Amino acid sequence: MCTAATYKTDCFYMGRTLDYEFSYGERITITPRNYPFHFRHDGDLDSHYAMIGMAHIADGFPLYYDAVNEKGLGMAGLNFAKSAEYPDVGNGRCVAQFEIIPWILSRCADLSEARKLLGEVTVVGTQFSEKLPVAKMHWIIADKTGAIVVEPFAQGLRIHDNPVGVLTNEPPFEQQISRLSDYMHLSPKQPENRLGIPLEHYSRGMGALGLPGDLSSASRFVRAAFTRANSVSGSSEEESVGQFFHILGAVEQVRGCCEVEPGKYEITIYTSCWNADRGIYYHTTYNNHQISAVDMHSADLDGSALYSCPLQDNEQIRSCGVTKL
């Protein structure tokens, strides 16, 4: 369904794919510092950090799929439909699952603050509206110092350090990490002959031999972790952003290859990459491979109204001229 990753060169980058069979009409959305948040169980917040990310805007509220705030802290929610459990609203501090991304990013300047705040709250399954059912999610939160995974269970939140900097869907994160031990032999180099008989490679380019190639979330986790860990790029903005899209390109979903219902197929609706240090949100879509960018600083960050930009979803093909030799 989705894959998220982090990447670091001279700047810190984070992003994700959204894999689904239809779109909710999501838009790149900037929430300025003085947009009033009215949280269901935790009161109002009129002044906070600004943020930019991908959101479906419902009744004036940004339902963020992923976002980064002006301090460089990023967060993405991924489907966790089988395992996620939300306890009932209790007497302590509670936040609804649909508002957890802005609730964290509006208050926390870095990962350590986010971890501390998560220890003080219960994430509950309050529904946004009758038209929007409760989304069962888990989340990756990261900045330039590291990453954590937050998973909701009936007993409360489980918070895991995320040393590989990637997240997919099921199974729970502890099992995903444990499964990596089955693939610790993977190498970008040509395989070595250990069979004791004369053998030759039949081809160049046999790195990553044995890397799982199917579209399951468990296999995508391994593939994204390997690709990210072995990624090599320059440190310029163009090289870093381009390389990030190549990393997530390793898990892209092609229409027709993952049927979820008869005649309905998951596709990578969009891929995002944000420069967390500069507040720039890049994206591509299934129908448009050209990288588009929105700078959060192009908006009035001291304002109180949301800003948004639709996804650039029409393929743009550049025509190149020729010269006579």
Side-chain angles (χ1 to χ4, degrees), residues 155-232:
Q155 300 79 13
L157 296 178
R158 295 180 191 170
I159 301 174
H160 309 280
D161 289 322
N162 185 345
V164 297
V166 302
L167 184 65
T168 57
N169 311 108
E170 301 282 357
F173 184 72
E174 285 183 320
Q175 295 178 45
Q176 297 272 37
I177 284 289
S178 176
R179 187 168 178 261
L180 283 181
S181 63
D182 293 338
Y183 296 94
M184 58 185 176
H185 64 280
L186 290 175
S187 170
K189 302 181 183 299
Q190 290 283 89
E192 296 181 21
N193 178 13
R194 293 191 174 93
L195 292 180
I197 58 175
L199 294 171
E200 295 182 359
H201 298 121
Y202 57 82
S203 173
R204 295 179 64 212
M206 296 178 67
L209 194 65
L211 185 68
D214 63 82
L215 298 176
S216 68
S217 56
S219 292
R220 282 186 284 107
F221 186 92
V222 176
R223 200 155 65 252
F226 174 84
T227 305
R228 175 189 178 274
N230 290 280
S231 175
V232 177

Side-chain angles (χ1 to χ4, degrees), residues 133-149:
V134 174
K136 293 190 174 184
M137 312 290 288
H138 60 175
W139 301 271
I140 180 172
I141 309 175
D143 65 10
K144 60 186 177 183
T145 68
I148 60 174
V149 170

